[in-house]
Amino acid sequence: MPLSPLNRICRIDGILDSAGRFRVLEANAVCPGGIAFAPRAHEIWRAVVGLPDGVSERAQPLLTDPRLFARSLVDCHREQFGRDPTTAVIVTLSSRYHQEVSEMIEDLQALGVDASTADARTIRLREDRVVDQRGRRVDLVYANVDQLDLITDPDLTSYLDAAVSGVACFVNPLLSQCIIGDKRALAIMWDPRFADYFNAAERALITEFIPATRLVLRDRDLLDLLERARDRLVLKPANRLCGEGVVIGPGTTPAAWRTALRRAAVSGAHVVQEYCPLPQLPGHNGLQLGMDGFVFNAPSKVGMPGRI
């Protein structure tokens, strides 16, 4: 049986705005960075900076259990197949996003899983099993790759066949980027045409925690409006990673903003979002403060148990 819900590993990128509200800028369901480094980074932050004034502290699952990510992967396999995985592969592509791979392998091995890494081009379906470059059966695959790269490289057909075969556990499944990792999902939440899909409580949450977000379309009136609102907007590709292609309105010239909007409208794969300045941490030479959180084995509905 496929995993349900599909998305299991996600990072919520956010900030505290000037009013002290937590705002969700975007969700990253595609090899979110920081999973392995977060516990150590937290220790360094506490030792060097400490907690900001007025911020209370509570136990964080990823800090009390640094192997929580690896355990969550094992849990996914157990849920799908009713047993723990014997073997696992952390998949990369052309060595991109490899910074935390060795830590992921170490944590899986500590849980008794024979883990290694492999390039996505070497993963294939052989009869009724998924195998790596050595012909070894693979039970669990963590896709530490940008899924858009997977569908644009003709050498990855074999990997895609393996990913949809259902004979191994792939985390996150390919559709997760379309559902969670695509910023157009935030635009749908703000689009009046889809308001009836949300109840009153859900609409209140959207207004409170998600900055206004809108899809950029080839509409002259809309583009003129967005052009005039440059100082209040950020332009983002809907499905790219690591800040690639982001244009911050207040930080660019009117001419550059106009050009970026026109190109975005042609692509049909960009959103504009309300600009939320990063707050500065008092007494630390202008250090800016973001607040990201990880969600493992995310619940399908608000109120269901999950590990955050």
Side-chain angles (χ1 to χ4, degrees):
M1 293 292 293
L3 292 173
S4 179
L6 286 172
N7 185 73
R8 295 308 179 96
I9 305 296
C10 181
R11 191 187 69 228
I12 306 296
D13 296 348
I15 65 166
L16 287 179
D17 67 12
S18 57
R21 299 176 301 174
F22 180 67
R23 311 300 300 280
V24 176
L25 303 182
E26 58 191 56
N28 185 348
V30 184
C31 56
I35 286 175
F37 295 158
R40 181 58 179 153
H42 180 81
E43 292 176 3
I44 296 172
W45 178 274
R46 286 200 57 178
V48 176
V49 179
L51 289 174
D53 293 339
V55 176
S56 60
E57 183 176 26
R58 66 173 182 171
Q60 300 293 315
L62 190 57
L63 303 180
T64 57
D65 181 6
R67 293 197 176 103
L68 180 57
F69 166 69
R71 295 186 200 279
S72 297
L73 294 182
V74 171
D75 288 346
C76 288
H77 186 277
R78 187 186 303 119
E79 178 183 331
Q80 188 170 0
F81 294 104
R83 60 178 176 81
D84 287 356
T86 301
T87 56
V89 167
I90 309 298
V91 169
T92 62
L93 183 60
S94 302
S95 298
R96 295 184 70 192
Y97 312 123
H98 67 281
Q99 289 85 352
E100 299 176 285
V101 169
S102 60
E103 288 82 1
M104 295 175 183
I105 291 173
E106 181 180 336
D107 287 345
L108 283 166
Q109 289 176 340
L111 299 179
V113 182
D114 183 6
S116 59
T117 186
D119 189 277
R121 296 182 182 88
T122 68
I123 302 297
R124 59 193 66 251
L125 184 64
R126 181 178 296 171
E127 297 177 351
D128 62 344
R129 60 181 182 169
V130 173
V131 299
D132 63 10
Q133 67 268 32
R134 296 176 290 172
R136 183 189 67 154
R137 178 172 184 153
V138 178
D139 297 326
L140 171 66
V141 176
Y142 179 64
N144 201 51
V145 296
D146 183 344
Q147 293 171 3
L148 287 182
D149 292 339
L150 296 178
I151 63 175
T152 57
D153 189 327
D155 293 332
L156 290 167
T157 302
S158 295
Y159 176 87
L160 295 174
D161 289 341
V164 301
S165 67
V167 299
C169 180
F170 278 71
V171 181
N172 283 319
L174 296 173
L175 282 175
S176 63
Q177 179 163 352
C178 302
I179 299 170
I180 300 294
D182 195 306
K183 300 173 187 67
R184 285 171 288 199
L186 302 181
I188 288 175
M189 295 180 188
W190 272 91
D191 193 322
R193 294 175 298 174
F194 302 103
D196 290 343
Y197 286 87
F198 305 99
N199 61 37
E202 290 168 337
R203 288 195 295 270
L205 285 173
I206 292 168
T207 303
E208 177 74 13
F209 294 108
I210 299 177
T213 307
R214 184 163 185 173
L215 183 64
V216 179
L217 302 172
R218 300 178 73 171
D219 180 292
R220 182 182 299 275
D221 291 338
L222 173 62
L223 292 175
D224 288 344
L225 176 64
L226 299 180
E227 186 175 329
R228 293 193 300 270
R230 174 180 58 87
D231 287 342
R232 304 193 304 274
L233 296 174
V234 177
L235 177 68
K236 299 180 178 182
N239 42 32
R240 299 309 300 173
L241 306 177
C242 304
E244 180 181 342
V246 172
V247 180
I248 300 175
T252 191
T253 65
W257 178 251
R258 183 185 310 112
T259 299
L261 283 176
R262 267 50 182 180
R263 289 175 177 170
V266 171
S267 78
H270 285 71
V271 300
V272 286
Q273 187 176 74
E274 172 192 350
Y275 173 59
C276 298
L278 285 172
Q280 294 189 352
L281 197 60
H284 293 281
N285 297 319
L287 182 65
Q288 293 181 307
L289 181 64
M291 294 187 68
D292 298 344
F294 293 99
V295 183
F296 298 154
N297 286 336
S300 58
K301 294 182 179 180
V302 173
M304 292 180 63
R307 290 187 287 186
I308 302 177

